[in-house]
Protein backbone atom coordinates (compact mmCIF):
# COMPACT_ATOMS: atom_id res chain seq x y z
CA UNK A 1 0.00 0.00 0.00
CA UNK A 2 1.24 3.51 -0.86
CA UNK A 3 0.63 6.29 1.69
CA UNK A 4 0.60 9.92 0.51
CA UNK A 5 1.62 12.58 3.05
CA UNK A 6 0.43 16.13 2.42
CA UNK A 7 2.16 19.04 4.20
CA UNK A 8 1.03 22.68 4.44
CA UNK A 9 3.90 25.14 3.88
CA UNK A 10 3.50 28.75 5.10
CA UNK A 11 3.69 31.46 2.44
CA UNK A 12 6.61 33.10 4.20
CA UNK A 13 8.63 29.93 3.83
CA UNK A 14 7.77 29.71 0.14
CA UNK A 15 8.90 33.27 -0.40
CA UNK A 16 12.18 32.51 1.35
CA UNK A 17 12.79 29.48 -0.86
CA UNK A 18 12.10 31.51 -3.97
CA UNK A 19 14.55 34.16 -2.86
CA UNK A 20 17.20 31.50 -2.35
CA UNK A 21 16.75 30.04 -5.82
CA UNK A 22 14.12 27.40 -5.03
CA UNK A 23 15.36 23.76 -4.88
CA UNK A 24 18.13 24.00 -7.49
CA UNK A 25 20.76 23.22 -4.84
CA UNK A 26 18.96 20.22 -3.36
CA UNK A 27 20.48 16.71 -3.53
CA UNK A 28 19.87 15.31 -7.04
CA UNK A 29 18.16 12.01 -7.75
CA UNK A 30 21.02 9.48 -8.27
CA UNK A 31 19.33 8.17 -11.43
CA UNK A 32 18.42 10.98 -13.79
CA UNK A 33 19.06 12.06 -17.36
CA UNK A 34 20.84 10.44 -20.27
CA UNK A 35 24.48 11.01 -19.32
CA UNK A 36 26.92 13.27 -17.56
CA UNK A 37 26.84 15.84 -20.36
CA UNK A 38 23.07 16.25 -20.03
CA UNK A 39 23.15 16.84 -16.30
CA UNK A 40 23.82 20.06 -14.44
CA UNK A 41 26.18 18.17 -12.12
CA UNK A 42 29.55 17.10 -13.52
CA UNK A 43 29.94 14.04 -11.28
CA UNK A 44 27.17 11.98 -12.85
CA UNK A 45 27.96 9.17 -15.27
CA UNK A 46 26.16 6.80 -17.60
CA UNK A 47 26.24 3.01 -17.44
CA UNK A 48 26.33 0.63 -20.38
CA UNK A 49 28.22 -2.03 -22.21
CA UNK A 50 27.92 -4.53 -25.03
CA UNK A 51 25.57 -7.41 -25.87
CA UNK A 52 26.91 -10.34 -27.91
CA UNK A 53 25.43 -13.60 -29.13
CA UNK A 54 21.79 -12.54 -28.82
CA UNK A 55 19.57 -14.27 -31.37
CA UNK A 56 16.05 -13.54 -30.12
CA UNK A 57 13.99 -10.76 -28.63
CA UNK A 58 12.58 -10.24 -25.18
CA UNK A 59 15.82 -9.64 -23.26
CA UNK A 60 15.45 -7.01 -20.53
CA UNK A 61 18.27 -5.67 -18.37
CA UNK A 62 17.73 -3.87 -15.08
CA UNK A 63 19.83 -1.39 -13.16
CA UNK A 64 19.77 -1.49 -9.36
CA UNK A 65 16.51 -3.40 -9.45
CA UNK A 66 14.48 -0.51 -10.79
CA UNK A 67 15.48 0.85 -14.20
CA UNK A 68 14.59 -1.49 -17.08
CA UNK A 69 16.25 -1.52 -20.49
CA UNK A 70 14.81 -3.71 -23.28
CA UNK A 71 17.52 -5.02 -25.63
CA UNK A 72 16.61 -5.46 -29.28
CA UNK A 73 19.88 -6.75 -30.68
CA UNK A 74 23.64 -7.12 -30.34
CA UNK A 75 25.92 -4.17 -29.87
CA UNK A 76 26.32 -1.30 -27.44
CA UNK A 77 23.69 -0.31 -24.89
CA UNK A 78 23.38 2.54 -22.39
CA UNK A 79 20.84 3.02 -19.62
CA UNK A 80 18.88 6.24 -19.97
CA UNK A 81 19.82 7.51 -16.52
CA UNK A 82 23.07 8.50 -14.87
CA UNK A 83 24.41 7.83 -11.40
CA UNK A 84 26.39 10.06 -9.11
CA UNK A 85 30.01 9.36 -8.31
CA UNK A 86 30.32 6.93 -5.41
CA UNK A 87 26.94 5.26 -6.08
CA UNK A 88 26.85 1.46 -6.09
CA UNK A 89 25.41 -0.13 -9.22
CA UNK A 90 24.28 -3.60 -10.23
CA UNK A 91 23.15 -4.58 -13.72
CA UNK A 92 21.26 -7.87 -13.99
CA UNK A 93 19.08 -9.90 -16.31
CA UNK A 94 15.44 -9.16 -15.55
CA UNK A 95 14.02 -11.24 -18.38
CA UNK A 96 15.73 -13.79 -20.62
CA UNK A 97 15.13 -13.83 -24.39
CA UNK A 98 12.07 -15.63 -25.70
CA UNK A 99 14.13 -18.07 -27.77
CA UNK A 100 14.08 -21.61 -26.39
CA UNK A 101 17.07 -22.28 -24.10
CA UNK A 102 18.75 -18.96 -24.88
CA UNK A 103 20.43 -17.76 -21.70
CA UNK A 104 22.21 -14.45 -21.18
CA UNK A 105 24.68 -13.68 -18.41
CA UNK A 106 26.24 -10.43 -17.20
CA UNK A 107 29.89 -9.94 -16.33
CA UNK A 108 31.49 -6.78 -14.89
CA UNK A 109 27.96 -5.73 -14.03
CA UNK A 110 28.45 -4.37 -10.52
CA UNK A 111 30.68 -1.93 -8.71
CA UNK A 112 30.93 1.70 -7.65
CA UNK A 113 30.59 4.68 -9.98
CA UNK A 114 33.91 6.49 -10.33
CA UNK A 115 34.87 9.49 -12.39
CA UNK A 116 34.06 8.24 -15.91
CA UNK A 117 31.16 6.70 -17.77
CA UNK A 118 30.95 2.93 -17.34
CA UNK A 119 30.89 1.05 -20.65
CA UNK A 120 32.60 -2.28 -19.92
CA UNK A 121 29.53 -4.29 -18.84
CA UNK A 122 29.38 -7.46 -20.93
CA UNK A 123 26.20 -9.40 -21.70
CA UNK A 124 26.82 -12.72 -23.42
CA UNK A 125 23.99 -14.85 -24.76
CA UNK A 126 24.18 -18.56 -25.61
CA UNK A 127 21.62 -21.14 -26.69
CA UNK A 128 22.19 -23.97 -24.21
CA UNK A 129 21.94 -27.58 -25.28
CA UNK A 130 20.35 -28.54 -21.97
CA UNK A 131 20.27 -27.95 -18.24
CA UNK A 132 22.05 -29.42 -15.23
CA UNK A 133 20.88 -29.15 -11.61
CA UNK A 134 22.91 -29.47 -8.40
CA UNK A 135 22.22 -28.89 -4.70
CA UNK A 136 23.74 -25.82 -3.07
CA UNK A 137 24.03 -24.84 0.61
CA UNK A 138 20.68 -24.34 2.40
CA UNK A 139 19.22 -27.06 0.17
CA UNK A 140 18.68 -24.75 -2.77
CA UNK A 141 18.75 -26.20 -6.27
CA UNK A 142 21.11 -24.38 -8.62
CA UNK A 143 20.27 -24.52 -12.32
CA UNK A 144 22.83 -24.18 -15.10
CA UNK A 145 22.60 -24.18 -18.86
CA UNK A 146 25.06 -26.38 -20.74
CA UNK A 147 27.21 -24.47 -23.24
CA UNK A 148 27.44 -26.12 -26.66
CA UNK A 149 30.89 -27.35 -27.55
CA UNK A 150 32.45 -26.85 -24.13
CA UNK A 151 29.84 -27.92 -21.55
CA UNK A 152 30.73 -24.87 -19.45
CA UNK A 153 27.94 -24.08 -16.95
CA UNK A 154 25.77 -21.02 -17.65
CA UNK A 155 24.17 -19.66 -14.42
CA UNK A 156 20.41 -20.05 -14.68
CA UNK A 157 19.01 -19.23 -11.24
CA UNK A 158 18.52 -20.86 -7.86
CA UNK A 159 15.35 -22.48 -6.58
CA UNK A 160 14.34 -23.21 -2.99
CA UNK A 161 12.98 -26.56 -1.91
CA UNK A 162 9.75 -25.93 0.02
CA UNK A 163 10.06 -26.36 3.78
CA UNK A 164 8.12 -29.15 5.42
CA UNK A 165 7.26 -28.86 9.08
CA UNK A 166 9.61 -25.91 9.40
CA UNK A 167 12.67 -28.01 8.51
CA UNK A 168 15.02 -27.58 5.58
CA UNK A 169 15.04 -30.86 3.64
CA UNK A 170 18.35 -32.72 3.54
CA UNK A 171 18.65 -33.73 -0.12
CA UNK A 172 19.91 -37.24 -0.89
CA UNK A 173 19.47 -37.52 -4.65
CA UNK A 174 17.76 -35.88 -7.63
CA UNK A 175 16.30 -37.59 -10.68
CA UNK A 176 14.98 -35.99 -13.87
CA UNK A 177 12.15 -37.67 -15.77
CA UNK A 178 13.26 -39.00 -19.19
CA UNK A 179 10.81 -36.57 -20.79
CA UNK A 180 12.65 -33.65 -19.20
CA UNK A 181 9.39 -32.26 -17.81
CA UNK A 182 9.87 -33.01 -14.11
CA UNK A 183 12.59 -33.13 -11.48
CA UNK A 184 12.21 -35.36 -8.40
CA UNK A 185 14.10 -34.58 -5.20
CA UNK A 186 14.53 -37.21 -2.46
CA UNK A 187 15.30 -35.78 0.97
CA UNK A 188 15.47 -36.57 4.66
CA UNK A 189 14.22 -34.41 7.54
CA UNK A 190 11.55 -35.25 6.57
CA UNK A 191 11.78 -38.34 4.36
CA UNK A 192 9.91 -37.27 1.25
CA UNK A 193 9.96 -36.78 -2.52
CA UNK A 194 9.36 -33.28 -3.86
CA UNK A 195 8.36 -32.71 -7.48
CA UNK A 196 9.32 -29.72 -9.64
CA UNK A 197 8.03 -28.90 -13.10
CA UNK A 198 10.89 -27.97 -15.44
CA UNK A 199 10.13 -24.93 -17.58
CA UNK A 200 11.23 -26.05 -21.06
CA UNK A 201 12.36 -22.66 -22.40
CA UNK A 202 14.81 -21.61 -19.70
CA UNK A 203 14.97 -24.53 -17.28
CA UNK A 204 13.30 -22.87 -14.30
CA UNK A 205 11.80 -25.01 -11.54
CA UNK A 206 8.29 -24.72 -10.06
CA UNK A 207 7.11 -26.94 -7.17
CA UNK A 208 4.08 -29.01 -8.18
CA UNK A 209 1.97 -31.61 -6.42
CA UNK A 210 2.20 -32.32 -2.71
CA UNK A 211 5.37 -33.91 -1.35
CA UNK A 212 5.09 -37.70 -1.14
CA UNK A 213 6.31 -39.49 1.99
CA UNK A 214 9.08 -42.02 1.56
CA UNK A 215 10.25 -44.60 4.06
CA UNK A 216 12.49 -43.87 7.02
CA UNK A 217 16.16 -43.46 6.14
CA UNK A 218 15.67 -42.76 2.43
CA UNK A 219 19.11 -42.80 0.83
CA UNK A 220 18.77 -43.43 -2.89
CA UNK A 221 16.32 -43.14 -5.78
CA UNK A 222 16.27 -44.18 -9.43
CA UNK A 223 13.70 -43.87 -12.21
CA UNK A 224 13.06 -46.50 -14.84
CA UNK A 225 14.35 -45.37 -18.26
CA UNK A 226 10.82 -45.57 -19.67
CA UNK A 227 9.66 -43.07 -17.03
CA UNK A 228 6.93 -45.32 -15.60
CA UNK A 229 8.30 -46.03 -12.11
CA UNK A 230 10.37 -44.45 -9.37
CA UNK A 231 12.19 -46.65 -6.86
CA UNK A 232 13.43 -45.52 -3.43
CA UNK A 233 15.92 -47.34 -1.19
CA UNK A 234 15.29 -46.95 2.56
CA UNK A 235 17.65 -47.95 5.39
CA UNK A 236 15.83 -47.61 8.70
CA UNK A 237 17.35 -47.29 12.16
CA UNK A 238 15.98 -50.72 13.15
CA UNK A 239 18.14 -52.38 10.48
CA UNK A 240 15.20 -52.88 8.14
CA UNK A 241 15.96 -52.16 4.49
CA UNK A 242 13.16 -51.63 1.98
CA UNK A 243 12.58 -50.66 -1.63
CA UNK A 244 9.51 -48.57 -2.39
CA UNK A 245 7.86 -48.40 -5.80
CA UNK A 246 5.98 -45.34 -7.06
CA UNK A 247 4.09 -45.09 -10.33
CA UNK A 248 4.62 -41.89 -12.30
CA UNK A 249 1.90 -39.92 -14.09
CA UNK A 250 3.72 -38.68 -17.17
CA UNK A 251 1.29 -35.80 -17.72
CA UNK A 252 1.17 -34.30 -14.22
CA UNK A 253 4.34 -35.74 -12.70
CA UNK A 254 2.29 -37.06 -9.77
CA UNK A 255 3.59 -40.06 -7.81
CA UNK A 256 1.47 -42.87 -6.41
CA UNK A 257 2.79 -45.45 -3.96
CA UNK A 258 2.66 -48.90 -5.54
CA UNK A 259 4.13 -51.16 -2.89
CA UNK A 260 7.16 -51.87 -0.75
CA UNK A 261 9.58 -54.80 -0.78
CA UNK A 262 11.42 -55.59 2.44
CA UNK A 263 14.99 -56.71 1.95
CA UNK A 264 16.60 -59.33 4.21
CA UNK A 265 17.32 -58.07 7.75
CA UNK A 266 21.01 -57.37 7.49
CA UNK A 267 21.86 -55.37 10.63
CA UNK A 268 22.48 -52.26 8.58
CA UNK A 269 21.67 -48.65 9.42
CA UNK A 270 21.86 -45.49 7.36
CA UNK A 271 24.95 -44.35 9.26
CA UNK A 272 26.74 -47.74 9.28
CA UNK A 273 26.22 -49.42 5.96
CA UNK A 274 29.34 -49.53 3.77
CA UNK A 275 28.30 -50.29 0.24
CA UNK A 276 24.60 -50.54 0.97
CA UNK A 277 21.83 -48.44 -0.46
CA UNK A 278 22.90 -48.42 -4.09
CA UNK A 279 20.71 -48.93 -7.13
CA UNK A 280 21.10 -49.60 -10.84
CA UNK A 281 18.39 -50.20 -13.41
CA UNK A 282 18.75 -51.79 -16.83
CA UNK A 283 18.12 -49.67 -19.91
CA UNK A 284 15.11 -51.76 -20.97
CA UNK A 285 13.41 -51.06 -17.59
CA UNK A 286 13.06 -54.79 -16.91
CA UNK A 287 15.51 -55.31 -14.03
CA UNK A 288 16.50 -53.38 -10.92
CA UNK A 289 19.78 -54.26 -9.21
CA UNK A 290 20.03 -53.65 -5.47
CA UNK A 291 23.28 -53.52 -3.50
CA UNK A 292 22.87 -54.54 0.15
CA UNK A 293 25.22 -54.90 3.10
CA UNK A 294 24.94 -57.65 5.69
CA UNK A 295 26.40 -56.35 8.95
CA UNK A 296 25.96 -59.69 10.71
CA UNK A 297 27.96 -61.74 8.23
CA UNK A 298 30.06 -58.84 6.90
CA UNK A 299 29.07 -59.54 3.30
CA UNK A 300 27.73 -57.47 0.41
CA UNK A 301 25.20 -58.73 -2.12
CA UNK A 302 23.90 -57.69 -5.52
CA UNK A 303 20.37 -58.91 -6.18
CA UNK A 304 18.46 -58.61 -9.49
CA UNK A 305 14.75 -57.77 -9.19
CA UNK A 306 12.42 -58.29 -12.15
CA UNK A 307 10.15 -55.26 -12.63
CA UNK A 308 6.48 -55.89 -13.41
CA UNK A 309 5.85 -53.66 -16.46
CA UNK A 310 2.27 -52.90 -15.38
CA UNK A 311 2.56 -52.37 -11.62
CA UNK A 312 6.26 -51.83 -10.94
CA UNK A 313 6.19 -54.76 -8.52
CA UNK A 314 9.55 -56.38 -7.78
CA UNK A 315 10.44 -60.08 -7.81
CA UNK A 316 13.87 -60.98 -6.46
CA UNK A 317 16.29 -63.26 -8.24
CA UNK A 318 19.49 -65.01 -7.18
CA UNK A 319 21.97 -62.74 -5.41
CA UNK A 320 25.72 -62.59 -5.88
CA UNK A 321 27.45 -62.29 -2.50
CA UNK A 322 31.05 -61.38 -1.64
CA UNK A 323 32.99 -60.29 1.46
CA UNK A 324 32.42 -56.67 2.40
CA UNK A 325 35.28 -54.22 2.12
CA UNK A 326 35.45 -51.79 5.02
CA UNK A 327 36.07 -48.94 2.60
CA UNK A 328 32.73 -49.50 0.87
CA UNK A 329 31.29 -50.51 -2.50
CA UNK A 330 29.76 -48.59 -5.40
CA UNK A 331 27.80 -49.72 -8.45
CA UNK A 332 26.92 -48.55 -11.96
CA UNK A 333 25.36 -50.07 -15.06
CA UNK A 334 26.15 -50.07 -18.75
CA UNK A 335 23.60 -47.86 -20.60
CA UNK A 336 23.17 -50.58 -23.23
CA UNK A 337 22.21 -53.15 -20.56
CA UNK A 338 25.18 -55.45 -21.13
CA UNK A 339 27.26 -55.07 -17.96
CA UNK A 340 26.93 -54.23 -14.28
CA UNK A 341 29.98 -52.63 -12.68
CA UNK A 342 30.67 -53.15 -8.98
CA UNK A 343 33.65 -51.38 -7.41
CA UNK A 344 35.01 -52.96 -4.24
CA UNK A 345 37.15 -50.36 -2.48
CA UNK A 346 40.07 -51.31 -0.26
CA UNK A 347 42.47 -49.16 1.76
CA UNK A 348 45.96 -50.46 2.65
CA UNK A 349 45.14 -51.29 6.28
CA UNK A 350 41.62 -52.52 5.54
CA UNK A 351 39.87 -49.55 7.18
CA UNK A 352 37.82 -46.80 5.54
CA UNK A 353 40.37 -44.09 6.30
CA UNK A 354 40.38 -42.72 2.77
CA UNK A 355 44.15 -42.85 2.30
CA UNK A 356 45.84 -44.52 -0.67
CA UNK A 357 42.55 -46.21 -1.44
CA UNK A 358 42.23 -48.49 -4.44
CA UNK A 359 39.31 -50.39 -5.89
CA UNK A 360 38.71 -53.54 -7.85
CA UNK A 361 35.98 -53.02 -10.44
CA UNK A 362 34.23 -56.24 -11.44
CA UNK A 363 32.34 -56.26 -14.74
CA UNK A 364 29.33 -58.55 -14.35
CA UNK A 365 27.81 -59.79 -17.62
CA UNK A 366 24.01 -59.50 -17.59
CA UNK A 367 21.87 -62.25 -19.06
CA UNK A 368 19.64 -60.52 -21.63
CA UNK A 369 16.66 -62.75 -20.81
CA UNK A 370 16.83 -63.34 -17.05
CA UNK A 371 18.86 -60.30 -16.00
CA UNK A 372 21.11 -62.54 -13.89
CA UNK A 373 24.65 -61.15 -13.40
CA UNK A 374 27.63 -63.43 -14.06
CA UNK A 375 31.12 -62.43 -12.86
CA UNK A 376 33.40 -61.26 -15.63
CA UNK A 377 36.76 -59.54 -15.65
CA UNK A 378 38.25 -57.52 -12.79
CA UNK A 379 40.19 -54.27 -13.08
CA UNK A 380 42.19 -52.58 -10.33
CA UNK A 381 41.68 -48.82 -10.19
CA UNK A 382 44.67 -47.43 -8.33
CA UNK A 383 43.04 -44.44 -6.68
CA UNK A 384 39.60 -45.78 -5.84
CA UNK A 385 36.11 -45.53 -7.32
CA UNK A 386 33.72 -43.65 -5.05
CA UNK A 387 31.48 -42.90 -8.03
CA UNK A 388 31.21 -44.43 -11.48
CA UNK A 389 29.44 -43.06 -14.53
CA UNK A 390 29.27 -44.61 -18.01
CA UNK A 391 29.04 -42.50 -21.14
CA UNK A 392 25.76 -43.01 -23.07
CA UNK A 393 27.42 -45.05 -25.81
CA UNK A 394 28.76 -47.59 -23.32
CA UNK A 395 32.27 -47.16 -24.69
CA UNK A 396 33.72 -45.61 -21.51
CA UNK A 397 33.27 -45.80 -17.76
CA UNK A 398 34.42 -42.87 -15.63
CA UNK A 399 35.71 -43.61 -12.15
CA UNK A 400 35.75 -40.72 -9.67
CA UNK A 401 37.55 -40.72 -6.34
CA UNK A 402 38.09 -38.01 -3.75
CA UNK A 403 40.30 -38.86 -0.78
CA UNK A 404 42.67 -37.33 1.68
CA UNK A 405 45.19 -35.95 -0.76
CA UNK A 406 45.31 -34.22 -4.11
CA UNK A 407 47.49 -37.05 -5.46
CA UNK A 408 44.69 -39.58 -5.01
CA UNK A 409 41.69 -37.49 -6.07
CA UNK A 410 40.90 -37.70 -9.75
CA UNK A 411 38.70 -38.73 -12.65
CA UNK A 412 39.87 -41.76 -14.58
CA UNK A 413 38.56 -42.84 -18.00
CA UNK A 414 38.25 -46.59 -18.54
CA UNK A 415 37.64 -48.03 -22.01
CA UNK A 416 35.02 -50.81 -22.10
CA UNK A 417 35.50 -53.97 -24.17
CA UNK A 418 32.12 -54.34 -25.92
CA UNK A 419 32.06 -58.14 -25.74
CA UNK A 420 33.40 -58.88 -22.26
CA UNK A 421 33.04 -55.62 -20.34
CA UNK A 422 36.75 -55.69 -19.50
CA UNK A 423 38.12 -52.27 -18.56
CA UNK A 424 41.39 -50.64 -19.54
CA UNK A 425 42.71 -47.23 -18.58
CA UNK A 426 42.36 -44.56 -21.25
CA UNK A 427 44.73 -41.64 -20.89
CA UNK A 428 45.95 -40.22 -17.60
CA UNK A 429 43.95 -39.45 -14.48
CA UNK A 430 42.63 -35.88 -14.26
CA UNK A 431 42.93 -34.25 -10.80
CA UNK A 432 39.85 -32.87 -9.05
CA UNK A 433 39.72 -30.32 -6.25
CA UNK A 434 36.24 -30.70 -4.75
CA UNK A 435 34.31 -33.38 -2.87
CA UNK A 436 32.01 -34.90 -5.49
CA UNK A 437 28.84 -36.63 -4.35
CA UNK A 438 27.43 -37.37 -7.79
CA UNK A 439 28.73 -37.92 -11.32
CA UNK A 440 26.90 -38.21 -14.63
CA UNK A 441 27.50 -37.91 -18.36
CA UNK A 442 25.07 -35.87 -20.41
CA UNK A 443 22.86 -37.72 -22.93
CA UNK A 444 24.93 -36.47 -25.88
CA UNK A 445 28.06 -38.13 -24.48
CA UNK A 446 30.07 -34.93 -24.87
CA UNK A 447 30.40 -33.96 -21.20
CA UNK A 448 30.93 -35.36 -17.72
CA UNK A 449 29.57 -33.41 -14.74
CA UNK A 450 30.54 -33.71 -11.08
CA UNK A 451 28.29 -32.36 -8.34
CA UNK A 452 30.34 -31.24 -5.33
CA UNK A 453 29.07 -30.89 -1.77
CA UNK A 454 32.06 -29.12 -0.21
CA UNK A 455 35.74 -28.35 -0.56
CA UNK A 456 38.10 -31.30 -0.67
CA UNK A 457 39.65 -32.12 2.69
CA UNK A 458 43.10 -31.48 1.23
CA UNK A 459 42.19 -28.08 -0.29
CA UNK A 460 43.85 -26.00 2.45
CA UNK A 461 40.72 -23.95 3.18
CA UNK A 462 40.17 -22.97 -0.45
CA UNK A 463 36.77 -22.14 -1.92
CA UNK A 464 34.88 -24.79 -3.87
CA UNK A 465 32.42 -24.91 -6.77
CA UNK A 466 29.09 -26.72 -6.76
CA UNK A 467 29.55 -28.06 -10.30
CA UNK A 468 32.51 -29.11 -12.42
CA UNK A 469 32.10 -29.66 -16.17
CA UNK A 470 34.49 -31.85 -18.17
CA UNK A 471 34.61 -32.15 -21.95
CA UNK A 472 34.95 -35.69 -23.29
CA UNK A 473 37.24 -36.25 -26.28
CA UNK A 474 35.11 -38.24 -28.72
CA UNK A 475 37.69 -39.30 -31.34
CA UNK A 476 41.36 -39.77 -32.03
CA UNK A 477 44.09 -41.30 -29.89
CA UNK A 478 42.76 -39.52 -26.79
CA UNK A 479 39.15 -40.63 -27.26
CA UNK A 480 37.38 -40.89 -23.92
CA UNK A 481 39.76 -38.54 -22.09
CA UNK A 482 38.26 -35.66 -20.10
CA UNK A 483 39.39 -32.09 -19.47
CA UNK A 484 37.97 -29.50 -17.09
CA UNK A 485 36.06 -26.89 -19.09
CA UNK A 486 34.16 -24.87 -16.52
CA UNK A 487 32.82 -24.61 -13.00
CA UNK A 488 29.69 -23.37 -11.31
CA UNK A 489 29.21 -21.04 -8.35
CA UNK A 490 32.07 -20.68 -5.87
CA UNK A 491 31.43 -21.12 -2.14
CA UNK A 492 33.69 -20.39 0.79
CA UNK A 493 35.53 -23.11 2.66
CA UNK A 494 33.45 -24.49 5.51
CA UNK A 495 30.10 -24.26 3.78
CA UNK A 496 28.45 -27.47 2.66
CA UNK A 497 26.04 -28.22 -0.13
CA UNK A 498 23.88 -31.25 -0.68
CA UNK A 499 23.87 -34.41 -2.71
CA UNK A 500 22.36 -34.62 -6.15
CA UNK A 501 22.90 -34.06 -9.86
CA UNK A 502 20.36 -34.19 -12.68
CA UNK A 503 20.72 -33.44 -16.40
CA UNK A 504 18.05 -32.56 -18.97
CA UNK A 505 18.77 -32.30 -22.69
Amino acid sequence: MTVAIRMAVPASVLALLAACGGDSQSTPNPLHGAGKNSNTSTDRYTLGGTVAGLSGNGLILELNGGSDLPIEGNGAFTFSGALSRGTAYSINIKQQPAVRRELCTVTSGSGMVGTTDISNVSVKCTIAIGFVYVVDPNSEIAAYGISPGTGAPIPDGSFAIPLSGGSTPLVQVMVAAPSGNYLYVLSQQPNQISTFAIEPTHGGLTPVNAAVASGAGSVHMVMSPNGSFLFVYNIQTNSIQTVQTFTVDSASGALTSAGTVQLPNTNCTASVCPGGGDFAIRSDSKYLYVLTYDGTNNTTSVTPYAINPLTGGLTGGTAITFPTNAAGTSMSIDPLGRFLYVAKAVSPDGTPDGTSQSATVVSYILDPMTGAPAPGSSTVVANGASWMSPDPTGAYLYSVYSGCCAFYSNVLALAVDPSSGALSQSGTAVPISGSPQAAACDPSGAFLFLGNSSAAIFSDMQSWSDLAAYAITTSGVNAGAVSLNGQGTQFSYGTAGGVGLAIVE
Side-chain angles (χ1 to χ4, degrees):
M1 179 177 67
T2 301
V3 178
I5 301 177
R6 185 181 299 274
M7 298 179 64
V9 182
S12 59
V13 175
L14 293 175
L16 178 61
L17 289 174
C20 294
D23 62 353
S24 63
Q25 300 302 314
S26 61
T27 301
N29 187 327
L31 182 60
H32 178 73
K36 69 175 183 178
N37 294 328
S38 65
N39 288 274
T40 58
S41 175
T42 59
D43 64 350
R44 301 173 61 75
Y45 304 94
T46 59
L47 294 95
T50 305
V51 175
L54 180 64
S55 61
N57 54 24
L59 173 63
I60 299 177
L61 305 180
E62 66 175 3
L63 171 61
N64 288 351
S67 180
D68 293 353
L69 179 62
I71 301 295
E72 301 299 331
N74 294 306
F77 68 88
T78 303
F79 280 88
S80 61
L83 296 181
S84 300
R85 183 175 59 186
T87 301
Y89 67 90
S90 179
I91 297 174
N92 297 290
I93 304 293
K94 182 174 183 178
Q95 179 177 292
Q96 293 283 4
V99 172
R100 184 175 185 268
R101 292 187 173 179
E102 184 167 29
L103 301 175
C104 300
T105 56
V106 178
T107 56
S108 302
S110 61
M112 194 77 68
V113 176
T115 58
T116 60
D117 290 335
I118 294 169
S119 60
N120 66 333
V121 179
S122 174
V123 179
K124 181 180 179 181
C125 302
T126 305
I127 297 180
I129 63 173
F131 307 104
V132 58
Y133 303 91
V134 291
V135 182
D136 279 352
N138 299 319
S139 291
E140 290 199 338
I141 301 173
Y144 293 95
I146 302 173
S147 298
T150 66
I154 306 169
D156 191 27
S158 185
F159 304 90
I161 301 173
L163 299 181
S164 181
S167 300
T168 300
L170 181 61
V171 178
Q172 300 298 300
V173 67
M174 296 191 298
V175 171
S179 65
N181 294 332
Y182 296 99
L183 179 71
Y184 298 93
V185 180
L186 178 69
S187 60
Q188 296 179 359
Q189 300 176 0
N191 294 284
Q192 65 180 27
I193 306 170
S194 303
T195 305
F196 292 83
I198 301 175
E199 195 276 317
T201 302
H202 295 118
L205 301 177
T206 302
V208 295
N209 308 323
V212 176
S214 60
S218 300
V219 295
H220 200 25
M221 177 172 66
V222 67
M223 177 170 279
S224 59
N226 61 13
S228 297
F229 307 108
L230 196 66
F231 301 97
V232 176
Y233 195 127
N234 306 305
I235 303 177
Q236 303 177 27
T237 56
N238 57 3
S239 300
I240 295 176
Q241 300 179 71
T242 62
V243 176
Q244 286 178 283
T245 299
F246 296 88
T247 59
V248 181
D249 186 303
S250 60
S252 67
L255 303 177
T256 302
S257 180
T260 299
V261 172
Q262 183 168 328
L263 304 177
N265 191 340
T266 55
N267 193 28
C268 177
T269 65
S271 59
V272 184
C273 194
D278 210 351
F279 266 160
I281 192 165
R282 210 166 74 171
S283 55
D284 59 5
S285 300
K286 291 183 177 180
Y287 292 95
L288 176 72
Y289 298 87
V290 182
L291 190 69
T292 57
Y293 168 65
D294 185 337
T296 301
N297 299 306
N298 198 33
T299 57
T300 299
S301 298
V302 178
T303 305
Y305 284 83
I307 302 172
N308 186 302
L310 299 178
T311 66
L314 301 174
T315 303
T318 303
I320 291 179
T321 302
F322 49 87
T324 294
N325 296 300
T329 307
S330 60
M331 183 169 65
S332 186
I333 195 166
D334 167 51
L336 304 183
R338 303 166 300 178
F339 314 113
L340 182 71
Y341 306 107
V342 178
K344 308 171 184 179
V346 179
S347 58
D349 58 2
T351 62
D353 58 8
T355 60
S356 303
Q357 193 168 346
S358 65
T360 298
V361 181
V362 179
S363 301
Y364 290 91
I365 301 173
L366 301 179
D367 186 289
M369 299 301 295
T370 67
S377 64
S378 297
T379 304
V380 175
V381 180
N383 294 338
S386 304
W387 313 98
M388 294 185 293
S389 177
D391 84 315
T393 69
Y396 300 97
L397 178 70
Y398 294 94
S399 171
V400 182
Y401 178 69
S402 178
C404 74
C405 314
F407 177 80
Y408 301 116
S409 301
N410 55 53
V411 179
L412 185 64
L414 302 170
V416 179
D417 184 282
S419 59
S420 66
L423 305 173
S424 58
Q425 183 171 331
S426 178
T428 59
V430 177
I432 60 176
S433 58
S435 291
Q437 297 297 315
C441 292
D442 78 308
S444 74
F447 312 110
L448 171 70
F449 294 96
L450 302 185
N452 296 314
S453 65
S454 64
I457 58 178
F458 56 79
S459 62
D460 193 26
M461 302 186 69
Q462 297 297 309
S463 62
W464 59 279
S465 63
D466 55 1
L467 180 67
Y470 296 81
I472 298 175
T473 302
T474 56
S475 61
V477 295
N478 294 319
V482 298
S483 57
L484 181 64
N485 259 13
Q487 299 188 77
T489 302
Q490 294 288 316
F491 293 93
S492 60
Y493 184 87
T495 58
V499 179
L501 176 77
I503 302 171
V504 173
E505 284 188 355

